[in-house]
């Protein structure tokens, strides 16, 4: 039974997600000559539900070094500077939209923008010094994405 100290420190976050997306793509029948533009450019939008694996590495400052004085973790190198980390599985949500540019009947270019939101839960810091109960407070990870690609139809 000791006091609880809460302190914000910088963290490095790696997030990987597996999503199930629902996508709507504008398609126009080939027979209508007034819609020639939409045969070359196809806008789309979609949303998805994601299960995200988020790994958070905490940058522990020198004044909090008691949290990383863990012989079992440092092993043979007492001067090593390893920071505790946490793994979380969390629900996430994504929203995206973009354009397909149909260059050829079998090839198109894709440009996309999106928003990705993960609600990361509280998690124990792995390899922190035992007895300190170091945890990551819950946080929200907000990503704005800009991407592109190529598609070949077979």
């Amino acid at each position: 039974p000791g006091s609880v100290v809460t302190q914000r420190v910088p963290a490095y976050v790696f997030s990987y997600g597996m999503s199930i997306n629902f996508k709507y793509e504008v398609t126009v029948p080939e027979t209508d000559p007034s819609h020639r533009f939409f045969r070359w450019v196809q806008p789309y939008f979609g949303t998805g539900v994601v299960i995200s694996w988020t790994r958070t590495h905490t940058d522990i400052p020198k004044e909090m070094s008691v949290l990383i004085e863990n012989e079992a973790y440092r092993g043979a190198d007492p001067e090593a500077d390893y920071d505790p980390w946490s793994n979380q599985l969390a629900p996430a949500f994504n929203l995206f939209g973009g354009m397909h540019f149909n260059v050829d009947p079998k090839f198109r270019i894709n440009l996309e923008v999106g928003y990705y939101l993960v609600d990361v839960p509280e998690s124990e810091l792995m390899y922190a010094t035992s007895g300190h109960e170091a945890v990551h407070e819950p946080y929200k990870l907000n990503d704005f994405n800009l991407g592109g690609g190529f598609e070949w139809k077979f």
Side-chain angles (χ1 to χ4, degrees), residues 9-65:
V9 295
Y12 305 95
V13 178
F14 302 93
S15 182
Y16 307 93
M18 174 73 83
S19 66
I20 298 173
N21 290 323
F22 303 96
K23 181 174 165 182
Y24 178 75
E25 190 169 311
V26 176
T27 55
V28 178
E30 294 284 329
T31 57
D32 190 349
S34 67
H35 294 211
R36 188 172 296 157
F37 176 77
F38 286 108
R39 280 189 267 155
W40 189 71
V41 176
Q42 287 182 283
Y44 67 92
F45 60 91
T47 187
V49 178
V50 181
I51 297 297
S52 174
W53 170 50
T54 304
R55 186 171 181 146
T56 308
H57 290 262
T58 306
D59 193 8
I60 302 291
K62 192 169 258 195
E63 58 271 9
M64 294 175 63
S65 64

Side-chain angles (χ1 to χ4, degrees), residues 4 50 109-110:
V4 174
V50 181
I109 299 170
N110 178 32

